[in-house]
Amino acid sequence: MADRMLQFVRLPQLQPEKRAVAERRADFDEIYRRFGPPEAARQASRCSQCGVPFCSVHCPLGNDIPDWLKLTAEGRLEEAYELSAATNNFPEICGRICPQDRLCEGNCVIEKGYEAVTIGAVERFLTDTAFAQGWVRTRRPARERGLSIGVIGAGPGGLAAAEELRALGYAVDVYDRHDRIGGLLIYGIPNFKLEKEIVFRRAEQLAAQGVRFHLNCEIGRDLPLGELRRRHAAILIATGVYRPRDLTAPGVTLPGIVPALDYLIASNRKGLGDAVPDFDSGLLDARNKRVVVVGGGDTAMDCVRTAARQGATSVKCLYRRDRANMPGSMREVKNAEEEGVEFLWLSVPKAFSGVQSVQTAHLSRMRLGLPDSSGRQSVEPSNTPSSRLEADLVIKALGFDPEDLPLQFAEPDLAVTRWGTLKIHHRSFMTSLPGVFAAGDIVRGASLVVWAIRDGRDAAASIHTYLDQEAAKFAVAAE
Ligand code: FAD
Ligand code: SF4
Ligand code: SF4
């Protein structure tokens, strides 16, 4: 066991071993093997225990990373787990799917010259070990407050808030239009990044804590928001963003050109054993097809890697910028390349053609121009001649916008930004409707799981403060 820290000069970085490509293409299981206690202790001991830990500064949850790394290196795993769980409701999920190369690890001071401490892998190891050892305790409240909160959306934002609020003694009812809880953790993110069991065990824990779930219940359709506001002392909206951005190229309505989330939901549901007619008919199955995915974010990476596992004959990813300017995690790009995905940088589809369904994507080449107002290099058509790509299945993964929530909830007073995300007070998380709060992607636009957790925690704290203040006002009025 490691007896001191700062071992980075002696010990090289070691990420958990990846399964062989042929093996991982043949199933949907997670691709990384797990650290055992000796590897976790050794890797944790590489940390230089910075006085100002940039890893923590760049973790959206402000995790106390150096301290739990030190405890891990010392073999004090239960304490390390407790410290990591103090700031994060789902550390084992973040350890698996945070883009660490852009967050904690990308900002680790030993990254330059020695390669970062493997923070995500240690975080995942700690909570997986805690579950195996029975250290993960259900956070039952010390006393009941006699007030109930309604949470709309059982994604990571809604679930983190639900756990915090229940622990404070509120009755918590979570409403979701899906038949399972987890939001994009279940229906968006594929099993090879995050196995469903990891989410299910959290769902069981929340149920044991006393959180009540109302599934297959879409607010705005099955229950009006007004009814929810009458039932509960406060409401949290954590509905995510689901309206897919579309392409405007001629031929884009041809059969065989499908939105990314339809494709991923079908694959995830199939894996869960559900009946999926559009998968069984072949429409959303990539088997024996030449697949073209348009986009360069996490969703596009999940689509290309799903297609590779479904037995596509070829998988190509078109992205309008270059590799250095991709929004998706570089680690995922590398995994996709290993799994046989071919990237066509600086390429966009300008039209599609085919007889009964799509057969050809016609491509324009782009080049990078000057930085725009955001500092990012703009893209413009280049003079390179256009080209063609044979395709049987085209998957559009261009990002998501919010649905029209004021319309959906029949609440015209629910204020939105010009992007359609919910307007909230930056500190209190309250929307323009009194007692109605919001968190996660519906506020930020498409973002990350770790940010949804952070928002859910902050919104829960704000709801608690708000209800305390309301109770105080009521007590004064009653005097
Ligand atoms: P969601 O997870 O979207 O959950 C919202 C929930 O609200 C859903 O369950 C939905 O059914 C429910 N809902 C919506 N409307 C209603 C209604 N009217 N009534 C009742 N229920 C409703 N992030 C990462 O950090 N790492 C990754 O690797 C990663 N990969 C991704 C891959 C894909 C394919 C996608 C699409 C996203 C990915 N993300 C990733 C982003 C991440 O999943 C989201 O940022 C995160 O899930 C947002 O959490 P949320 O709680 O705000 O919303
Ligand atoms: Fe890194 Fe994400 Fe864990 Fe924070 S939550 S330490 S960013 S893996
Ligand atoms: Fe340790 Fe790296 Fe964080 Fe410094 S930045 S405390 S070396 S993990």
Side-chain angles (χ1 to χ4, degrees):
M1 187 171 305
D3 56 356
R4 60 196 175 104
M5 304 299 286
L6 288 118
Q7 298 297 314
F8 64 93
V9 281
R10 196 172 61 83
L11 283 175
Q13 186 206 57
L14 183 77
Q15 289 286 356
E17 193 194 337
K18 280 195 241 181
R19 295 192 295 131
V21 170
E23 186 190 330
R24 66 196 210 220
R25 275 189 61 143
D27 62 35
F28 279 77
D29 295 347
E30 284 182 4
I31 70 164
Y32 292 99
R33 297 194 198 280
R34 299 178 183 195
F35 273 160
E39 291 103 330
R42 272 198 295 274
Q43 289 301 307
S45 76
R46 296 180 69 242
C47 170
S48 78
Q49 299 286 286
C50 304
V52 180
F54 285 109
C55 53
S56 300
V57 173
H58 289 270
C59 165
L61 290 160
N63 281 347
D64 190 356
I65 299 165
D67 284 353
W68 49 254
L69 286 173
K70 185 163 187 291
L71 290 167
T72 307
E74 290 169 359
R76 296 162 64 184
L77 298 184
E78 187 168 358
E79 290 162 85
Y81 155 71
E82 273 171 10
L83 202 55
S84 83
T87 48
N88 190 351
N89 299 73
F90 314 121
E92 74 288 10
I93 295 178
C94 294
R96 284 170 165 84
I97 59 168
C98 270
Q100 286 106 10
D101 48 354
R102 286 194 270 137
L103 299 173
C104 53
E105 293 180 17
N107 290 282
C108 172
V109 294
I110 64 166
E111 164 72 3
K112 287 212 166 39
Y114 292 94
E115 295 190 298
V117 178
T118 51
I119 300 166
V122 174
E123 189 178 27
R124 167 187 162 188
F125 159 80
L126 286 174
T127 309
D128 285 347
T129 306
F131 269 106
Q133 297 292 330
W135 300 333
V136 182
R137 278 179 282 279
T138 304
R139 292 171 61 199
R140 291 201 179 81
R143 69 178 176 98
E144 298 291 344
R145 286 176 189 270
L147 286 173
S148 90
I149 320 281
V151 176
I152 313 173
L159 294 181
E163 185 179 25
E164 294 303 305
L165 288 164
R166 181 71 197 119
L168 286 166
Y170 296 100
V172 180
D173 289 84
V174 180
Y175 302 83
D176 201 290
R177 61 184 171 192
H178 279 315
D179 51 351
R180 294 182 178 90
I181 77 163
L184 289 172
L185 299 177
I186 288 290
Y187 290 119
I189 298 173
N191 225 48
F192 50 81
K193 277 170 46 183
L194 174 66
E195 287 177 1
K196 307 293 176 220
E197 310 310 318
I198 306 294
V199 185
F200 292 155
R201 73 185 175 191
R202 283 290 176 187
E204 278 166 25
Q205 252 218 324
L206 288 163
Q209 194 196 12
V211 174
R212 291 187 295 246
F213 291 101
H214 307 264
L215 300 179
N216 299 307
C217 179
E218 181 170 329
I219 304 307
R221 191 194 62 186
D222 303 319
L223 262 182
L225 181 63
E227 167 59 23
L228 237 57
R229 291 179 77 191
R230 278 187 288 280
R231 282 187 194 176
H232 301 289
I235 299 290
L236 177 69
I237 303 175
T239 47
V241 290
Y242 285 89
R243 193 155 51 84
R245 292 191 192 131
D246 214 344
L247 285 165
T248 46
V252 76
T253 54
L254 278 167
I257 304 180
V258 301
L261 208 52
D262 288 7
Y263 173 71
L264 290 173
I265 290 176
S267 174
N268 280 312
R269 280 199 178 280
K270 200 70 200 162
L272 287 160
D274 295 352
V276 190
D278 282 345
F279 184 91
D280 297 335
S281 71
L283 179 66
L284 296 175
D285 184 1
R287 178 171 302 280
N288 299 329
K289 289 183 182 163
R290 294 162 298 181
V291 177
V292 172
V293 176
V294 187
D298 282 331
T299 306
M301 293 311 99
D302 290 350
C303 290
V304 290
R305 298 180 65 203
T306 297
R309 282 161 176 77
Q310 287 177 346
T313 45
S314 66
V315 187
K316 295 190 166 60
C317 182
L318 304 184
Y319 181 53
R320 64 198 180 120
R321 290 189 162 87
D322 62 2
R323 186 188 189 97
N325 286 287
M326 271 189 94
S329 158
M330 262 313 122
R331 186 182 59 183
E332 296 305 305
V333 176
K334 230 168 124 190
N335 286 337
E337 282 176 331
E338 286 168 8
E339 289 162 13
V341 175
E342 191 187 326
F343 285 85
L344 279 75
W345 310 112
L346 295 164
S347 302
V348 292
K350 62 173 186 181
F352 298 96
S353 59
V355 183
Q356 291 194 319
S357 64
V358 67
Q359 288 170 319
T360 310
H362 304 265
L363 312 185
S364 286
R365 292 280 295 163
M366 309 300 283
R367 69 173 175 216
L368 291 174
L370 293 170
D372 60 19
S373 55
S374 71
R376 213 164 164 219
Q377 272 183 289
S378 59
V379 275
E380 54 198 34
S382 82
N383 297 326
T384 318
S386 53
S387 56
R388 297 152 60 103
L389 209 57
E390 301 313 307
D392 310 303
L393 176 63
V394 174
I395 302 171
K396 299 175 287 184
L398 299 140
F400 303 93
D401 288 316
E403 281 147 358
D404 187 341
L405 276 199
L407 182 73
Q408 201 179 326
F409 288 168
E411 288 280 1
D413 292 339
L414 186 60
V416 294
T417 65
R418 65 190 159 109
W419 299 280
T421 48
L422 289 185
K423 240 184 206 172
I424 56 166
H425 183 276
H426 70 285
R427 271 216 205 105
S428 72
F429 286 73
M430 203 187 308
T431 65
S432 53
L433 302 179
V436 178
F437 297 75
D441 279 6
I442 191 57
V443 174
R444 290 180 181 274
S447 178
L448 293 173
V449 167
V450 65
W451 277 116
I453 297 171
R454 167 70 196 261
D455 288 352
R457 294 172 67 87
D458 287 352
S462 287
I463 290 172
H464 180 48
T465 308
Y466 163 78
L467 290 176
D468 267 357
Q469 284 166 351
E470 289 296 294
K473 271 194 240 162
F474 187 73
V476 171
E479 271 171 14

